[in-house]
Amino acid sequence: MKFVDEFRNVGAARALLDRIRATVTKSWTIMEVCGGQTHTILRYGIDELLPPAVTLVHGPGCPVCVTPIEMIDLAIGLAQRPGVILCSFGDMLRVPGSRSDLFDARAAGADVRVVYSPLDAVDLARRETAREVVFFAVGFETTAPTTAMAIAHASDLGLSNFSVIAAHVRVPPAIEAILAAPDNRVQGFLAAGHVCTVMGIGEYRPIVEKFGVPIVVTGFEPIDLLDGIAMCVAQLEAGRAELENQYARSVRPEGNRAAQALMAAIFTPVDRRWRGLEALPKSALAISDRYAAYDAIRKFNLTSARVAEPLECRAGEVLRGLLKPPQCPAFGRNCTPDHPLGAPMVSSEGACAAYFRAGRVAEATEAE
Amino acid sequence: MNATGMQCPADLRKDELIVLGHGSGGKLSAELVRKVFLPALSNPILDRLNDGAELNLDAGRIAFTTDSFVVNPLRFPGGDIGSLAVNGTINDLAVIGAQPLGLSAAFILEEGFPIAELRDIVESIRDASRQAAVPIIAADTKVVERGKADGMFITTSGFGIIPSGLELGPERAMPGDAVLVSGPIGDHGIAVMSAREGLRFETTVVSDCAALHGLAATMIATGGKVRCMRDATRGGVATVINELAASSGVEIIIDEPAVPARDAVRAACEILGLDPLYVACEGRLVAIVDPADADRILAAMRRHPLGEGACRIGAVTRKHNPRVLLRTAFGPTRLLDLLPGDQLPRIC
């Protein structure tokens, strides 16, 4: 398969591994930010192929995982109202709120539908004029432009029965929060390639300068990740801290200006608590006042109370790279993908779920 | 209207819809049977319209199975709910080593369903049943109110005879055994998804929907030791291999680069965020065989039209806490587990 197979080539992987082995002289801890990258690392066993001196820890870049419980409760509550059709991406339906998930709500009679694009939800609103169609929007800067486009499209059409619960989040504030924590152990970052395809790389330069850490914008195929790790290790060994772009085939330095303009028109950055993390300044995208008519939270006057995470769950430490999933006492015991206690066990791209699915739970329990 | 401009008064009109009366057991029901079902599915046993089918069989081990079909959409590239119902039920018999002899089909129709579409599906059942040489010997129709069914549901049952001396079973896999798959995986699932509302995409992939009893008989006829077979339907090849590992209490290692999948299926899976190993097939079987006979059985499969793309994809490694591992192209292995539910496309 063209454009994919060359980035999964075994010979190329061996060459990159040799390069990393030849470069590394000290121990380094590198965090990949995006859940898609975590998924690839576990899928191909890349962490097992690296020299022991290079430790990968897994960042908070799974949008499903970091959506706060109270947002999910809001969506479930809204879905249960008569006349409402709640749409979201399939991944989101299985994420537990404080009592149930959207699949449970659907089984109990709510009209909850899976869409593949927010524009499908706009089309649904055009067809179902007597119903309120609400799109539950999650994702980083990668999916935010499509939500923005859906709102702009609904506005152009003058639709009054379409609105959005916007739970979009931004990567840079999360990286800053991890680096600013006194117990941080991350020495270099692989930034999320697709986020940078939209946003460009400029936002990361001040972080590199402020904290003196290398950031390598990296793709999602195994060769991309090995290449990104090799670039990061080379910087660390040379004592450099620079912003580099491994994923140049997709990421232009300035990003996608049209998408950025659309996002700037529709959204405003706001502070928000992430599931498993504390409130992060300007870390979320809320719908701007101009498009308030499309903001389901204001339209339906939704309010939420903060819901406490289970005490046993140490997701916060996992998401900040302080703990590997199998080191959490609940991992694979009280916390599994079928009965998740915390955010990273929820979606297949969460670090805990990725470890569990890859069978690392067996190793953890067998080792005892 | 026919070509001569005369209208046959007894003919069901092309634009006619299923009404509740078609399930009443009265005149309309009889007409539906006479005009739609019997012309397509006619055979001496069914034509008697008796309450049950009567057959004379030589004594032997009878195999019996039943399956329901609720596919959405009803038609997809390479098949429809009708061919799926026939082939799916035949395959359940084929993989336990039975020679299928007859099927029953029960239809639940939704009020308002176009009779022309029903006729097409019944003809597809006829074609699949003829091609497989397995007749429909009993049938039933019920109609439910509009909104109470998704167009049409079909439940098929089937029976057959297992030749004496043949012992297949999911608990028979042993360390050292070879794991075979009869062809490229995931065609059916991708073909159905490409036709699904809200997801429609262009693809060259057509469903692999086919009756596998001929292929299974060919494998058995080699005289090689086949321990067990299973057709990979919903949940795909990964799910089937997990089921076999659990029944036999063994660990199985699958060699990821050896698993056959078409480029178009792999590409669609990349876009949708799916793993082809979990995508449904309807004309592929997984077999666990004695390693000494594996090459012979594989060669026989490849000579059969439905086994041309057969491959050896892994091995049973040891008696163990049952699990399936996948050895990736890069060398490390990872768990290939059962999914908690349907595969859901990832967000990013």
Side-chain angles (χ1 to χ4, degrees), chain A residues 247-273:
Chain A
Y247 200 37
R249 70 178 186 280
S250 174
V251 177
R252 285 174 290 170
E254 73 280 13
N256 181 333
R257 297 251 197 240
Q260 290 165 23
L262 193 58
M263 285 165 71
I266 304 285
F267 295 123
T268 312
V270 294
D271 302 351
R272 181 160 311 141
R273 196 178 77 80

Side-chain angles (χ1 to χ4, degrees), chain B residues 203-229:
Chain B
T203 176
T204 53
V205 180
V206 296
S207 170
D208 48 33
C209 181
L212 294 171
H213 56 313
L215 177 67
T218 302
M219 293 165 67
I220 291 163
T222 61
K225 289 188 205 69
V226 179
R227 313 271 193 228
C228 54
M229 296 188 276

Side-chain angles (χ1 to χ4, degrees), chain A residues 196-211:
Chain A
C196 295
T197 303
V198 174
M199 298 307 295
I201 64 177
E203 294 181 293
Y204 298 89
R205 190 157 285 118
I207 302 177
V208 167
E209 285 163 7
K210 181 172 170 192
F211 294 97

